[in-house]
Amino acid sequence: MVCAALLVWALVDTYRDSSGESMAGVIPLLATTPVSFAVAVLPEHETMFIAAVALGALVNATVIGWCSRALRHGDRTDPAA
């Protein structure tokens, strides 16, 4: 949700900036690192920027989910416990 809001803000700010020097796109990329940096080096187009942020957010959410599940289960050796 936060990444989507940052992405919308960056796109709106970039369209409103007539000088073409807006750095607003950096914020969503930083929020979804490291995957978004790897995808952001692909051909420069607006859809690639959106795909980089979306993929980065998805991967980060998956990793955070795995980590939270592992921390909730703790160090149990018996799966029935």
Side-chain angles (χ1 to χ4, degrees):
M1 181 71 161
V2 173
C3 292
L6 287 173
L7 181 62
V8 169
W9 169 77
L11 291 174
V12 168
D13 189 57
T14 301
Y15 282 126
R16 291 181 61 206
D17 183 18
S18 61
S19 69
E21 299 175 355
S22 177
M23 293 294 292
V26 172
I27 302 300
L29 284 176
L30 287 176
T32 58
T33 54
V35 174
S36 62
F37 280 160
V39 178
V41 298
L42 293 174
E44 194 170 317
H45 193 266
E46 179 182 312
T47 55
M48 291 311 297
F49 172 71
I50 294 170
V53 172
L55 184 63
L58 178 67
V59 169
N60 285 350
T62 303
V63 170
I64 290 170
W66 286 340
C67 290
S68 68
R69 260 186 248 112
L71 289 173
R72 270 187 273 136
H73 292 299
D75 190 26
R76 297 183 196 161
T77 55
D78 183 17

